[in-house]
């Protein structure tokens, strides 16, 4: 008796495997979703602007709590997930926030007025860049403020 090898002619019957579930995650940068994504970023700027206006009205020796509040808003803004199409907007936002906070710290610590004035100018410039980027992302046209020419009326 010679051993015989058995050859299986059975075809493997694997049970059908489930296809991975595909989720239809909306593109945050798609036109129909963009405004909602912008508002997620912009809400921090609005909150920061309100808090910084309040801080600007406080005496120097009472700024510590205001600065701590501004720093918290900035950290929350930094932690906010932001789509790539809003990267510049967020960069201007965080840069502006840092500039305001650093300027308030400089003022509180008694820095030279010129340093404080430069910080204020830088913060305003960054806020303007943020506003321009916000308009660009939303497809809005910025119109420069009208200048009023003062003319003297001829005397009769």
């Amino acid at each position: 008796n010679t051993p015989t090898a058995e050859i299986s002619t059975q075809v493997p019957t694997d049970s059908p495997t489930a296809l991975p579930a595909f989720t239809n995650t909306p593109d945050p940068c798609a036109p129909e979703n963009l405004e909602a994504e912008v508002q997620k970023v912009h809400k921090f700027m609005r909150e920061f602007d309100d808090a910084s206006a309040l801080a600007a009205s406080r005496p120097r020796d009472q700024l510590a709590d205001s600065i701590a509040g501004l720093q918290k808003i900035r950290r929350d803004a930094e932690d906010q997930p932001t789509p790539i199409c809003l990267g510049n907007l967020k960069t201007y936002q965080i840069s502006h926030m840092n500039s305001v906070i650093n300027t308030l710290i400089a003022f509180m610590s008694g820095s030279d007025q010129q340093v404080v004035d430069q910080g204020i100018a830088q913060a305003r410039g960054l806020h303007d860049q943020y506003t321009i980027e916000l308009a660009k992302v939303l497809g809005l046209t910025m119109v420069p403020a009208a200048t009023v020419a003062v003319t003297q009326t001829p005397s009769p």
Side-chain angles (χ1 to χ4, degrees), residues 44-46 48-50 52-53 70 74 88-104 119-131:
F44 291 109
M45 189 61 123
R46 290 181 24 237
F48 189 88
D49 285 348
D50 291 346
S52 63
L70 292 169
R74 185 206 48 216
N88 287 339
L89 185 68
K90 186 168 184 169
T91 297
Y92 292 134
Q93 177 189 58
I94 301 301
S95 296
H96 166 72
M97 291 176 174
N98 286 332
S99 182
V100 169
I101 291 166
N102 292 338
T103 301
L104 287 171
I120 291 169
Q122 180 186 33
R124 283 185 183 146
L126 289 165
H127 196 284
D128 289 348
Q129 287 181 295
Y130 172 87
T131 303

Side-chain angles (χ1 to χ4, degrees), residues 1-141:
N1 282 340
T2 34
T4 58
E6 289 187 32
I7 300 176
S8 173
T9 57
Q10 189 176 12
V11 177
T13 56
D14 293 333
S15 61
T17 57
L19 294 176
F22 290 101
T23 57
N24 189 9
T25 304
D27 176 7
C29 295
E32 65 272 13
N33 301 323
L34 191 57
E35 188 169 347
E37 292 299 320
V38 166
Q39 290 309 318
K40 291 176 187 177
V41 173
H42 190 59
K43 76 176 186 166
F44 291 109
M45 189 61 123
R46 290 181 24 237
E47 185 179 355
F48 189 88
D49 285 348
D50 291 346
S52 63
L54 181 61
S57 69
R58 291 188 171 233
R60 185 182 304 218
D61 61 343
Q62 294 178 12
L63 278 175
D65 288 342
S66 292
I67 292 170
L70 292 169
Q71 290 170 326
K72 179 179 182 337
I73 296 167
R74 185 206 48 216
R75 282 190 304 275
D76 291 345
E78 287 172 329
D79 294 344
Q80 172 67 37
T82 306
I84 191 100
C85 58
L86 300 181
N88 287 339
L89 185 68
K90 186 168 184 169
T91 297
Y92 292 134
Q93 177 189 58
I94 301 301
S95 296
H96 166 72
M97 291 176 174
N98 286 332
S99 182
V100 169
I101 291 166
N102 292 338
T103 301
L104 287 171
I105 290 171
F107 175 72
M108 191 175 79
S109 66
S111 289
D112 182 64
Q113 187 62 43
Q114 184 178 0
V115 171
V116 173
D117 290 344
Q118 287 172 347
I120 291 169
Q122 180 186 33
R124 283 185 183 146
L126 289 165
H127 196 284
D128 289 348
Q129 287 181 295
Y130 172 87
T131 303
I132 291 166
E133 183 66 17
L134 179 64
K136 179 179 151 189
V137 166
L138 292 175
L140 303 173
T141 303

